[in-house]
Amino acid sequence: MTKKVLVTYSSFTGSTAGIAEEIGRIIEAEGHEINLLAMTDVEDLTGYDALVIGSAIQKGAWLLEAQAFVRQFSGQIKKIPTAMFSVCMTLAMKSGEQYRSGVMDWVGPMRALIQPDVEEIFAGILNVKMVPDFGERLKFRLAILFGIWKAGDNRDWGKIRAWGNSLKQSILAG
């Protein structure tokens, strides 16, 4: 049965948007109808059979526009099969995987509001030039120099595709 799926995202550097696009392609390849939209462009959730929502994490929380989206639509989201993903550079640190549970805690407030069926977090892109604050850019450059962070694209496309494919057993089942 073909389902109408909204894949929506909030992205700062384009990393989260790229992940959303890939997940949308995977779902569409399964024969489902996809709408891929930035969260700021979503006006209504009526008519969707499933949702995939994702946001970048900055300073320990989803982006403000993503938080606003979740608060605005939480009542509707809870009634639709939903997959939630977050993109956080903490996972791209040299020992980033040890912080996975802490990163999951950061998105706890969003999870509590919408109660997603499945959830995942991914590393993103570290583009120091896009960090707006000079002091923060300097910290990132020093951390890269000392090998704590890795600049560039840290997305694990194999993991992202595997998660996208797993959605047919969760939010797309039935």
Side-chain angles (χ1 to χ4, degrees):
M1 177 173 115
T2 299
K3 295 191 176 199
K4 186 174 179 182
V5 182
L6 172 64
V7 179
T8 187
Y9 60 89
S10 179
S11 191
F12 184 72
T13 64
S15 185
T16 307
I19 292 170
E21 289 167 5
E22 183 63 17
I23 291 168
R25 278 192 287 275
I26 290 166
I27 295 170
E28 191 171 48
E30 289 292 318
H32 301 289
E33 180 185 341
I34 295 298
N35 283 352
L36 177 70
L37 296 169
M39 288 181 184
T40 55
D41 295 334
V42 177
E43 296 177 5
D44 190 15
L45 300 182
T46 303
Y48 290 107
D49 301 306
L51 303 173
V52 178
I53 62 175
S55 177
I57 294 175
Q58 285 193 333
K59 297 182 182 179
W62 265 21
L63 297 179
L64 292 177
E65 63 195 28
Q67 292 179 48
F69 173 88
V70 166
R71 287 186 181 93
Q72 178 181 353
F73 293 110
S74 63
Q76 285 180 283
I77 294 171
K78 285 191 242 180
K79 297 175 184 174
I80 304 169
T82 301
M84 177 175 127
F85 72 94
S86 301
V87 180
C88 184
M89 286 310 303
T90 299
L91 296 181
M93 292 175 69
K94 192 174 188 178
S95 56
E97 280 300 316
Q98 76 182 20
Y99 300 110
R100 180 172 283 277
S101 65
V103 173
M104 293 295 273
D105 289 345
W106 291 345
V107 294
M110 298 296 98
R111 183 183 311 110
L113 284 172
I114 60 174
Q115 302 161 2
D117 297 282
V118 291
E119 179 181 2
E120 187 56 85
I121 53 175
F122 304 107
I125 297 172
L126 177 53
N127 182 346
V128 177
K129 292 177 185 175
M130 292 196 71
V131 176
D133 179 79
F134 175 77
E136 290 296 312
R137 278 194 309 275
L138 182 59
K139 287 180 195 175
F140 274 114
R141 284 195 171 107
L142 289 171
I144 291 166
L145 183 66
F146 290 111
I148 297 168
W149 294 90
K150 181 181 161 205
D153 193 343
N154 293 280
R155 294 174 290 185
D156 181 338
W157 289 106
K159 182 177 178 181
I160 291 163
R161 289 181 185 111
W163 188 73
N165 281 309
S166 76
L167 299 179
K168 60 187 157 195
Q169 282 84 38
S170 55
I171 67 166
L172 301 172

